[in-house]
Amino acid sequence: MDQLDQLPDDVVVAVMQFLDVKDVLACRLVCKRLCGLALDRDVWRHRLLEDFHPSAGAVLHLAPCLDTLTVMGRVLAATTTRCAVAKLELFSNTWAAPNGAPLALTLGLALRNQESLGRLRGLQLGWMGSGLTLATDALVRTVASCSNLKSLEVIGLPNVIHPVQHGPPMPSLTYFRCSVDKNSASFVHTILAGHAATLEEVNLVIGAGLEIADTSTTAELLGTMPRLRSLRCQDLTDTTEFGTMLVEALISSERSHLERLALLEVKVVRPLLLALPSLPALRHLDLDAVEPNDVLLKSITPATAPALTLLEVVLLGFGLCPHAWLHRDAVKATLTANPKLHIQLWCNSDDKCVPQDCETCVVGCHQEVQWDVVGKIGLYSHDPAKCPSPEDHTDDTDWSYRRTIVPPPARGFVCDAFRLLVFVFAYVLFCQSF
């Protein structure tokens, strides 16, 4: 104990940061000094806590702050704690909290409590329930009007009785992720409109069955964001209307600052060709391709897409061969016309061709590539030592969070047919990850 007394407080606090929660709480019983240091902000501010943790009640009563708090309505202390968190995760997997109150009410009170403490910057809502209640209505409105947030992710939204109309008092969000359907359209539009001045990254899934008016509003709001840098839209509708309206909205903005655009299952090849010159800052384009689209590839030039350094194509459809895709004339022409461009090809390992029946595979070139298991192929034609954007040679899982990636050893090869230097710089996917 004498040796411990010789250590300064900041050293003891630094050690306590690595202790388990139960050990930190136990330190409070050792002596008066450790009792005080165990409540230091630096001991807690990097920690994550779930409200079903055995010591959750004690932590929420004693700790001054946390990094992340996950609330499932297990302890009432989450609604009254003075422990301020930077990120709050609200999840529903039951109908009611243990105290008998509706779960939506408990989650809403926990959110309001953290908002009042002033440290909350990130919010994630995961909802698996259904039904129409005043409590779920109140929860959705609380989320929509929450102030000072920087990040908002909504995975499933409670059914609401009345449309959401009131957003935050001031814009603050820089990141927003949600699905847009009949139930969530008013909520999504309120968030997009309320935070239009600050949003920099938006990730939306456009659900089937939306009215034209709703899809039009969504597209128009996305086209009016002055700071938007990254946009990811997955279109699950059966028409091209949303994609067309979205591209038109992006074109209509005075000068787009969009740097990353992912259009997944969005059927907008022709409008997108017209839009490229209106997106001068675009450097990362991510597209789904049911079949190879040579027109789009050949339309990418330094004049139409001056900043583009990465084109990511997800090859969909049964029997499409990535090996054959690499040998297409359009791929060669695009790389030749755009020496700083990288092309990354995602290919579903379940939808490969039969090698012995494929005209390209039977030639026998590129034998070092395991085409039956490869998941992502990367191509570029410039000298790798002089790459203008080396960051494009690393895998970016933000645009493909559902896939599991295992990097193989780096390797390269020369394709005589292309007369280009072609490198495999992306990664092998396990078949079971799809």
Side-chain angles (χ1 to χ4, degrees):
M1 201 64 182
D2 292 339
Q3 294 177 340
L4 180 63
D5 290 339
Q6 296 177 8
L7 294 176
D9 287 352
D10 57 344
V11 173
V12 177
V13 167
V15 173
M16 283 186 170
Q17 293 178 16
F18 296 96
L19 297 180
D20 292 336
V21 168
K22 65 177 182 178
D23 294 329
V24 175
L25 296 177
C27 287
R28 299 188 68 250
L29 306 177
V30 175
C31 64
K32 185 175 181 179
R33 182 190 180 207
L34 289 184
C35 181
L37 293 180
L39 301 182
D40 190 282
R41 292 180 62 87
D42 288 339
V43 175
W44 298 98
R45 64 188 179 89
H46 299 300
R47 294 182 184 266
L48 284 67
L49 179 72
E50 298 164 331
D51 69 349
F52 51 84
H53 188 281
S55 302
V59 172
L60 293 176
H61 179 68
L62 296 170
C65 60
L66 291 168
D67 178 74
T68 302
L69 173 63
T70 299
V71 178
M72 294 186 178
R74 301 295 181 89
V75 293
L76 187 59
T79 65
T80 58
T81 181
R82 304 309 296 168
C83 175
V85 304
K87 182 177 180 181
L88 185 63
E89 298 176 344
L90 305 177
F91 292 109
S92 73
N93 59 0
T94 58
W95 284 104
N99 62 352
L103 180 59
L105 176 59
T106 301
L107 299 182
L109 290 175
L111 174 55
R112 280 300 186 202
N113 181 52
Q114 288 298 328
E115 182 185 16
S116 69
L117 296 177
R119 190 165 178 261
L120 186 65
R121 294 296 179 267
L123 174 62
Q124 182 175 356
L125 174 63
W127 191 265
M128 298 175 62
S130 59
L132 298 172
T133 69
L134 293 176
T136 56
D137 248 27
L139 173 61
V140 174
R141 281 163 174 69
T142 300
V143 172
S145 62
C146 192
S147 58
N148 297 319
L149 290 179
K150 295 296 184 182
S151 172
L152 175 59
E153 298 180 75
V154 181
I155 306 171
L157 197 69
N159 291 327
V160 295
I161 301 174
H162 305 292
V164 179
Q165 297 180 341
H166 299 289
M170 293 183 60
S172 61
L173 278 185
T174 58
Y175 174 75
F176 177 51
R177 174 190 174 193
C178 192
S179 295
V180 190
D181 54 29
K182 291 181 179 180
N183 180 57
S184 66
S186 64
F187 169 80
V188 172
H189 295 162
T190 297
I191 294 295
L192 294 179
H195 296 278
T198 56
L199 274 169
E200 298 177 3
E201 184 174 356
V202 176
N203 185 338
L204 297 179
V205 177
I206 311 300
L210 275 176
E211 300 290 339
I212 296 298
D214 288 332
T215 55
S216 176
T217 300
T218 303
E220 290 174 1
L221 288 170
L222 291 172
T224 59
M225 297 179 179
R227 299 181 61 181
L228 189 63
R229 299 289 188 272
S230 176
L231 174 60
R232 183 182 191 275
C233 284
Q234 183 175 7
D235 185 8
L236 301 182
T237 64
D238 297 326
T239 68
T240 62
E241 291 171 341
F242 171 74
T244 301
M245 290 185 290
L246 173 60
V247 172
E248 291 176 350
L250 295 176
I251 294 176
S252 65
S253 58
E254 294 184 359
R255 183 173 177 83
S256 172
H257 297 283
L258 197 65
E259 298 175 2
R260 306 177 73 175
L261 176 62
L263 299 178
L264 308 182
E265 301 181 64
V266 178
K267 313 159 190 69
V268 291
V269 172
R270 186 178 299 276
L272 183 59
L273 298 181
L274 300 176
L276 285 177
S278 300
L279 304 174
L282 187 66
R283 59 164 304 273
H284 184 168
L285 179 60
D286 188 356
L287 299 172
D288 278 355
V290 176
E291 60 183 17
N293 195 297
D294 294 348
V295 175
L296 175 61
L297 285 174
K298 293 180 178 179
S299 298
I300 297 175
T301 68
T304 60
L308 192 66
T309 61
L310 178 59
L311 172 63
E312 198 163 351
V313 179
V314 180
L315 196 60
L316 303 175
F318 180 78
L320 295 178
C321 178
H323 189 186
W325 192 90
L326 300 183
H327 284 271
R328 298 182 71 86
D329 290 339
V331 176
K332 173 185 175 180
T334 302
L335 287 172
T336 301
N338 302 270
K340 66 179 181 180
L341 181 66
H342 305 76
I343 298 180
Q344 292 182 352
L345 177 67
W346 283 98
C347 37
N348 192 330
S349 58
D350 293 332
D351 289 341
K352 301 285 177 57
C353 67
V354 180
Q356 59 268 29
D357 297 335
C358 177
E359 294 181 0
T360 303
C361 292
V362 296
V363 174
C365 62
H366 305 147
Q367 294 181 2
E368 69 276 25
V369 180
Q370 297 178 323
W371 296 105
D372 56 334
V373 296
V374 70
K376 192 176 183 182
I377 293 295
L379 307 174
Y380 56 94
S381 61
H382 51 266
D383 183 346
K386 301 178 181 179
C387 180
S389 54
E391 67 277 6
D392 291 330
H393 291 259
T394 60
D395 181 64
D396 186 346
T397 56
D398 286 342
W399 297 90
S400 52
Y401 62 92
R402 295 168 296 178
R403 297 172 171 89
T404 302
I405 298 162
V406 179
R411 57 187 134 196
F413 57 88
V414 177
C415 178
D416 293 333
F418 281 5
R419 299 177 183 175
L420 298 170
L421 183 63
V422 182
F423 282 85
V424 177
F425 67 93
Y427 308 103
V428 175
L429 293 175
F430 287 118
C431 294
Q432 61 266 30
S433 66
F434 290 90

